[in-house]
Amino acid sequence: MAAVDVIVDNLVTLWRIPAVRQNFHWIFLLISAVGSILKELELVPQTYFSSNRNALNVYFVKVSWGWTLLLLTPFLLLSNSSFNRSVSFLCRRLLSLAVATTIWYVCTETFFYIEDATGSCFETDGVEIINKEFITKTSCRRAGFQWQGYDISGHSFILAYSALFIIEETAPMAFLKTASLSALPRMVLNLLYVALNLIVIVWVWMFACTSVYFHDPSHKLLGTICGLLGWYLTYRVWYLKPLSPGLPPQRHPKGLKLHT
């Protein structure tokens, strides 16, 4: 496990660099803008990732919120309980998962509604409207036709939002790497932390692929902005206030004994 410890130390050091942590969110707007330009100019050649059937998209991005919760929930419980094991504290911190899931659900359902409300059913890519009875994307595609509406990029939204959510909730690791934890919790925390960072890398990479291969520029930009707003309004506004899940703990109060 020595190799994992080295990886954890390097990752913690990286995320403690102010320029990296404070400007991480801007990378999504930059990638979205540059990727959209490259797509419109057709400067990026077709690759394995230009197909939505690629393995990362099918097995990870399509269920990205599930992967995020699967890895982040045990990490949040284990890391936060090292600061405070009170039920009220842990329940309050777990509310951040419920809030994030609500944001994910409301935004994605809104995107689906907008695409249905603004779209029409076409026989092929935009030739002529087939039948007015197909008023939803689902019914249109089930009939074998093409639906064209204002398709806000759910990929741009969820990948940006998930990555920022993970980075915020893994912040306690900067302190816990020097805490006096027993062997098993330390090993589990380290493995979860490395896995979460790998997931962030996958999310950023697939966000870039979405930017250069899929959607219209405005669809990607709006999806990205929704993801950034979901993160900003919670972790930079609401969570700073008393009646909220609160920010992840990042240092122990003086004199508090660590739970091991």
Side-chain angles (χ1 to χ4, degrees):
M1 300 301 293
V4 175
D5 291 337
V6 172
I7 294 172
V8 169
D9 287 344
N10 289 333
L11 289 170
V12 168
T13 299
L14 172 66
W15 290 115
R16 291 189 72 178
I17 299 173
V20 174
R21 187 167 187 80
Q22 294 170 10
N23 296 299
F24 180 60
H25 58 286
W26 293 115
I27 194 174
F28 295 103
L29 285 175
L30 178 63
I31 291 174
S32 185
V34 174
S36 294
I37 293 172
L38 294 176
K39 179 180 181 296
E40 295 303 304
L41 296 177
E42 299 182 347
L43 295 178
V44 180
Q46 297 297 297
T47 68
Y48 173 73
F49 292 101
S50 60
S51 168
N52 59 14
R53 298 179 184 274
N54 72 78
L56 287 182
N57 188 59
V58 173
Y59 297 111
F60 286 88
V61 178
K62 292 289 187 182
V63 287
S64 56
W65 195 245
W67 278 108
T68 298
L69 291 182
L70 179 67
L71 294 171
L72 196 54
T73 301
F75 179 88
L76 188 150
L77 281 171
L78 192 53
S79 61
N80 283 259
S81 64
S82 298
F83 290 83
N84 189 333
R85 286 187 176 179
S86 73
V87 174
S88 60
F89 173 76
L90 292 177
C91 287
R92 185 183 177 195
R93 289 275 42 256
L94 282 174
L95 278 176
S96 63
L97 297 176
V99 170
T101 300
T102 300
I103 291 172
W104 161 75
Y105 181 80
V106 170
C107 286
T108 52
E109 289 299 312
T110 300
F111 297 164
F112 292 146
Y113 174 80
I114 291 172
E115 188 177 9
D116 278 347
T118 60
S120 298
C121 194
F122 294 83
E123 182 173 6
T124 56
D125 290 334
V127 177
E128 62 176 291
I129 299 178
I130 289 298
N131 198 318
K132 294 289 186 180
E133 70 176 282
F134 299 119
I135 60 174
T136 66
K137 179 178 178 179
T138 301
S139 62
C140 177
R141 286 193 168 181
R142 188 179 294 125
F145 303 132
Q146 297 289 325
W147 183 266
Q148 292 189 15
Y150 194 79
D151 183 17
I152 299 173
S153 176
H155 277 44
S156 294
F157 160 73
I158 195 59
L159 294 174
Y161 182 60
S162 292
L164 291 167
F165 179 45
I166 289 171
I167 294 306
E168 290 291 345
E169 289 297 337
T170 53
M173 200 65 177
F175 178 85
L176 291 175
K177 73 170 190 142
T178 60
S180 200
L181 297 174
S182 56
L184 182 58
R186 167 71 65 192
M187 180 184 68
V188 174
L189 267 176
N190 283 351
L191 291 174
L192 286 170
Y193 185 69
V194 171
L196 284 163
N197 275 272
L198 286 174
I199 282 290
V200 168
I201 292 172
V202 173
W203 292 169
V204 173
W205 170 251
M206 293 306 294
F207 181 92
C209 291
T210 298
S211 298
V212 299
Y213 289 126
F214 303 101
H215 289 284
D216 292 338
S218 66
H219 299 169
K220 290 176 284 195
L221 182 61
L222 191 52
T224 303
I225 289 174
C226 287
L228 295 182
L229 279 176
W231 160 76
Y232 182 83
L233 292 176
T234 49
Y235 286 92
R236 294 295 180 268
V237 180
W238 181 30
Y239 289 3
L240 300 178
K241 302 182 183 302
L243 295 178
S244 75
L247 293 172
Q250 298 185 34
R251 59 172 56 89
H252 288 285
K254 291 182 179 179
L256 180 62
K257 183 178 180 181
L258 288 174
H259 296 287
T260 59

